[in-house]
Amino acid sequence: MHDDASSWAQRREEYADWVAEEGSFFLVARDGARAVGYALVLVHEGSPTWIEPRQFAVVQDLAVASDQQGKGVGRALLDRVHDESGCDVVELAVLSANESARSNSHSPVDW
């Protein structure tokens, strides 16, 4: 594992590349003035060999403050990603090592 400083330096570079992509966007969840979560979303064109979806959204990063986990912040961000992207398909991958995220709120979503 890399130390925090080098990990975040690399991640900042990735974020800069991602937000430069056309159609990408950030959402920030707030509790008053405090940011309590965010989602970084990339919107991609569909496959040239499939009719649907014409576009799909990928949640590249989703984070919720530890004291706000389990309170619906992540689900609210995912719902807003769906609404803001205009895409019927929204992809979110959760690392198997992220037990908190896997057990909290990443059950199927009804849109």
Side-chain angles (χ1 to χ4, degrees), residues 61-98:
D61 232 351
L62 177 71
V64 175
S66 59
D67 65 325
Q68 296 297 307
Q69 292 175 4
K71 297 181 178 180
V73 174
R75 176 54 54 95
L77 282 166
L78 290 175
D79 287 344
R80 189 66 182 262
V81 165
H82 177 256
D83 295 343
E84 293 290 327
S85 70
C87 297
D88 291 330
V89 176
V90 176
E91 294 181 3
L92 170 68
V94 179
L95 297 174
S96 60
N98 190 343

Side-chain angles (χ1 to χ4, degrees), residues 69-70 94-96 98-107:
Q69 292 175 4
V94 179
L95 297 174
S96 60
N98 190 343
E99 190 61 40
S100 172
R102 291 177 60 230
S103 64
N104 257 343
S105 63
H106 292 78
S107 57

Side-chain angles (χ1 to χ4, degrees), residues 9-92:
Q10 181 177 353
R11 200 63 166 167
R12 275 192 298 274
E13 287 180 30
E14 289 177 324
Y15 281 179
D17 290 341
W18 289 329
V19 298
E21 290 187 27
E22 187 172 340
S24 68
F25 60 94
F26 263 107
L27 295 174
V28 178
R30 297 191 172 277
D31 182 12
R34 179 178 173 228
V36 295
Y38 70 88
L40 168 59
V41 182
L42 307 177
V43 177
H44 299 283
E45 294 301 316
S47 167
T49 59
W50 291 86
I51 296 172
E52 296 289 334
R54 290 188 315 241
Q55 287 186 321
F56 63 97
V58 175
V59 179
Q60 188 64 44
D61 232 351
L62 177 71
V64 175
S66 59
D67 65 325
Q68 296 297 307
Q69 292 175 4
K71 297 181 178 180
V73 174
R75 176 54 54 95
L77 282 166
L78 290 175
D79 287 344
R80 189 66 182 262
V81 165
H82 177 256
D83 295 343
E84 293 290 327
S85 70
C87 297
D88 291 330
V89 176
V90 176
E91 294 181 3
L92 170 68

